[in-house]
Amino acid sequence: MGIVAGLDSSPEFTRIVVCDADTGAVIRQGYAPHPVEGRPSDVDPQAWLLSLGEAAGGGLLEGVQAIGVSAQQNAVVPLDAQGNTVRPALVGGDKRAQVAAADLVDALGGREAWAQAVGCVPQAAQPVTKLRWLAKNEPENALRTAVLLQAHDWLVWQLLGRPLRRTTDRGGASGTGYWSAATGGYRPDLVELALGHQAVLPEVIGPSDAAGTTPEGLLISAGTGETMAAAFGLGIGLGDAVVSLGASGSVMAVHPEALADQSGMITSLADATGMHLPVVTTLNAVRALRGTAELLGLPDLESLSDLAMKSTPGAHGLVLLPYLEGERTPNLPHTAGTLAGLRRESMKPEHLARAAFEGMLCGLADALDVLRGRGVEVRRIFLLGPAAELSAVQASAPSLFGAQVVVPQPADYTAIGAARQAAWALGVSQGTLDPRNPPAWQGAAAQVLEPGEELAVGQAVRQQFTAVREQTHPGAFRP
């Protein structure tokens, strides 16, 4: 079919990959940081366009027939009736909005009411919560807000020359807090509950639909959020889960239907293919490793991993509940971490290092169990993030998770997923691809790890962790 491009506008940079539309092979790529220092809570969207232009410089897009746009989730771009930005975009995990999140939960009648309405409970980062913050703290700006877009919606709209029609996709819409993945429709009443009045929302188009064509003839696909684009770029499907190791952790899996979770542990997102993407997050993942490395006076996580490998599974009975920032899974927002099983023989640096890795992975295994407990099939787990390369993680993860673990080679799967979406829309427009089946691109090159004979040992370590968790926080975790 030719060549297509995928754009990843993250919180800090723009990356563009140009791919062969048939195979997904990356031909060339461009990169540019956003002209913004740090990660502020308010960003002029023009910064995204400036870095996009820089990343696409040097003829990068020459010969490209279609482009897909993915962008940071949870960014709200409020526009006035003329299509101008009312104020800078509200982006990221905005701690200013924590009170607004609690207000919204109460205003609708509690966590269960929200889970039933839109598949998630408002968090500080979500667009619906930022609208509530805007109404309470900048009422004049809230009154001027007539149109609501997210980052990828706004970029697509700009690339198309700001047409009257504004679009989004199911993936992006599902993270707003005012669109339901279960019903496939907006809840305008929740926009009004948050903002104080109605606003125009973008049209939700299908996964293989095109948002439009530029005057130069470049097809623009629907676009989507970063999480959905990364899943699409990895090529995950039914039976696959993704465990992401950042400072905090997340577990998501492909599922044929939306999951409404009364506890709020599951956020019910839609993916970029027409399926669903339930997500469970933990507040503590790599931050527990970094804290342990600092405590032991080690310079980096590689040193902590090497030390942990000198211990044995179970860390001589030492168990770390890594709830250093409180925790969401289980829901213990005000707790602290716990170190249990201290005996004379376990009080060695290598056992503490091992307990940190096992505690982090057991916490993520708990998150996996939340999905499994709701009927989500998990046969294969993709492990993402730099920490996935650590030997102590790879040695323990398959047996603790009880499944095959795949560690993909580092690549910008978000941009690749956006490019794959562009190839899909292009193929459908040309009549060469089915709207229901995306292009079958070559999967990510990866290392595959099996639980093998270690499975029983890993499950014993899980039981040790579970016993300490139940003793310390009885009844807090109900998968």
Side-chain angles (χ1 to χ4, degrees):
M1 287 193 296
I3 59 173
V4 294
L7 185 154
D8 170 18
S9 181
S10 84
E12 295 170 340
F13 59 79
T14 298
R15 192 182 303 278
I16 301 173
V17 297
V18 176
C19 301
D20 180 284
D22 293 309
T23 67
V26 176
I27 299 166
R28 52 185 184 264
Q29 50 193 323
Y31 168 88
H34 294 323
V36 177
E37 290 188 12
R39 294 181 69 163
S41 298
D42 299 301
V43 175
D44 183 348
Q46 293 295 328
W48 307 333
L49 277 184
L50 288 170
S51 68
L52 191 165
E54 188 179 340
L60 183 79
L61 299 180
E62 191 173 331
V64 168
Q65 294 168 276
I67 188 167
V69 176
S70 66
Q72 59 181 302
Q73 288 157 241
N74 297 323
V76 182
V77 186
L79 305 179
D80 63 19
Q82 288 71 46
N84 302 311
T85 49
V86 170
R87 68 179 312 284
L90 294 128
V91 302
D94 198 336
K95 291 188 176 179
R96 296 176 300 185
Q98 286 175 338
V99 173
D103 285 349
L104 277 178
V105 172
D106 291 342
L108 195 66
R111 298 169 66 88
E112 183 177 345
W114 278 97
Q116 292 293 339
V118 288
C120 60
V121 178
Q123 305 290 332
Q126 279 184 297
V128 71
T129 306
K130 288 170 176 164
L131 296 182
R132 180 73 158 200
W133 180 90
L134 190 66
K136 295 290 185 183
N137 293 276
E138 299 177 7
E140 289 184 5
N141 284 335
L143 277 174
R144 288 177 55 216
T145 298
V147 181
L148 295 172
L149 297 179
Q150 292 189 86
H152 84 82
D153 310 336
W154 187 85
L155 284 166
V156 166
W157 184 58
Q158 294 292 326
L159 290 172
L160 290 172
R162 297 163 59 106
L164 288 175
R165 182 192 190 215
R166 302 178 183 92
T167 63
T168 190
D169 86 306
R170 297 169 64 258
S174 66
T176 59
Y178 44 83
W179 185 89
S180 167
T183 65
Y186 281 116
R187 288 288 302 264
D189 57 315
L190 299 183
V191 174
E192 186 167 355
L193 182 69
L195 187 62
H197 61 88
Q198 295 287 342
V200 176
L201 302 170
E203 176 189 345
V204 181
I205 61 177
S208 63
D209 291 345
T213 305
T214 68
E216 298 77 27
L218 184 67
L219 188 80
I220 311 288
S221 65
T224 195
E226 278 190 311
T227 298
M228 300 79 189
F232 198 41
L234 282 166
I236 69 169
L238 288 173
D240 291 335
V242 176
V243 173
S244 184
L245 301 177
S248 55
S250 69
V251 176
M252 62 181 177
V254 178
H255 197 57
E257 58 191 36
L259 297 177
D261 175 54
Q262 297 176 8
S263 71
M265 283 196 292
I266 298 175
T267 298
S268 190
L269 300 177
D271 77 349
T273 72
M275 301 285 275
H276 294 270
L277 205 62
V279 180
V280 180
T281 58
T282 67
L283 293 182
N284 301 277
V286 175
R287 64 164 42 98
L289 302 183
R290 295 201 184 283
T292 306
E294 289 170 12
L295 182 66
L296 293 172
L298 298 173
D300 50 41
L301 296 186
E302 288 76 11
S303 303
L304 184 71
S305 174
D306 292 343
L307 184 62
M309 293 300 287
K310 295 177 181 176
S311 180
T312 53
H316 278 248
L318 209 56
V319 174
L320 176 66
L321 301 183
Y323 307 152
L324 309 185
E325 297 283 323
E327 190 47 87
R328 279 188 65 183
T329 308
N331 186 29
L332 296 165
H334 306 300
T335 194
T338 301
L339 186 63
L342 284 168
R343 294 183 178 85
R344 180 65 192 89
E345 62 271 19
S346 66
M347 295 177 71
K348 293 182 179 179
E350 60 266 31
H351 301 324
L352 177 56
R354 183 87 185 200
F357 281 96
E358 291 177 347
M360 175 189 77
L361 292 170
C362 284
L364 289 160
D366 281 351
L368 268 168
D369 282 351
V370 172
L371 295 179
R372 283 170 165 148
R374 296 298 307 279
V376 177
E377 186 180 12
V378 178
R379 295 191 305 269
R380 184 172 64 158
I381 296 167
F382 285 76
L383 201 55
L384 300 186
E389 303 286 336
L390 297 173
S391 55
V393 169
Q394 296 191 4
S396 301
S399 62
L400 292 177
F401 292 158
Q404 182 188 84
V405 169
V406 179
V407 183
Q409 286 185 2
D412 197 323
Y413 294 106
T414 305
I416 292 169
R420 190 178 177 209
Q421 188 192 63
W424 195 5
L426 179 65
V428 169
S429 74
Q430 295 176 339
T432 57
L433 286 177
D434 188 322
R436 294 163 298 180
N437 298 310
W441 281 10
Q442 189 173 344
Q447 185 178 4
V448 178
L449 309 168
E450 300 284 356
E453 296 176 358
E454 297 296 315
L455 181 59
V457 175
Q459 295 313 293
V461 174
R462 281 284 319 271
Q463 289 171 4
Q464 179 177 275
F465 178 90
T466 301
V468 172
R469 188 195 65 223
E470 279 302 303
Q471 187 176 6
T472 312
H473 305 287
F477 183 65
R478 301 238 178 265

